[in-house]
Amino acid sequence: MDNYWDVGASANYDKNQTRAAQDSLFAESLLTLTKIADKKNKIAALTETGNNALKEHDWYSKRLIKPLENYPQLHKIAYIMVWRNANENHFYVPFSGHPATADFIQFMNHELILFENELPKMYQ
């Protein structure tokens, strides 16, 4: 599932909707994703998401990780991918010195998060 809608993408959501409502819809979407995947014997994944230019400097710790902390059934999600870093105006992972860098590092070090470089060498 791709989801930018419920995680603060300003071009995509109703500006009258509160952040709490967006967060609730995001959690609901992820819960629905895992239920459908289970029912169809598939693997759940959040295949695209992000916050362009990370205008919310706590986006990773407050938007992305919160549902995983609050709903253990979401631990079934195999992977989460944020969109690319194209240039200094269009990016989804903070560059060194960006105000969201510390938040991203906190997210990276969270016990529920595993990056590819932390996986065992499967083909050696």
Side-chain angles (χ1 to χ4, degrees), residues 104-115:
F104 179 75
I105 291 169
Q106 178 184 343
F107 169 80
M108 220 172 100
N109 293 324
H110 194 284
E111 65 183 15
L112 293 175
I113 301 303
L114 182 68
F115 276 73

Side-chain angles (χ1 to χ4, degrees), residues 14 24 26 45 68 74 84 97 111 115 118:
D14 178 352
S24 178
F26 183 50
L68 301 177
L74 297 182
R84 70 189 178 132
E111 65 183 15
F115 276 73
E118 298 173 272

Side-chain angles (χ1 to χ4, degrees), residues 50-67:
N51 181 261
N52 184 31
L54 291 163
K55 292 173 185 82
E56 294 180 25
H57 300 159
D58 61 355
W59 184 84
Y60 279 93
S61 64
K62 300 298 186 230
R63 293 272 189 164
L64 194 54
I65 199 70
K66 284 298 176 197

Side-chain angles (χ1 to χ4, degrees), residues 23-66:
D23 291 346
S24 178
L25 288 170
F26 183 50
E28 220 174 283
S29 294
L30 295 176
L31 289 165
T32 300
L33 170 68
T34 57
K35 286 177 191 170
I36 291 171
D38 281 348
K39 184 176 179 180
K40 297 195 174 271
N41 212 21
K42 302 286 183 180
I43 297 170
L46 182 54
T47 53
E48 260 187 56
T49 193
N51 181 261
N52 184 31
L54 291 163
K55 292 173 185 82
E56 294 180 25
H57 300 159
D58 61 355
W59 184 84
Y60 279 93
S61 64
K62 300 298 186 230
R63 293 272 189 164
L64 194 54
I65 199 70
K66 284 298 176 197

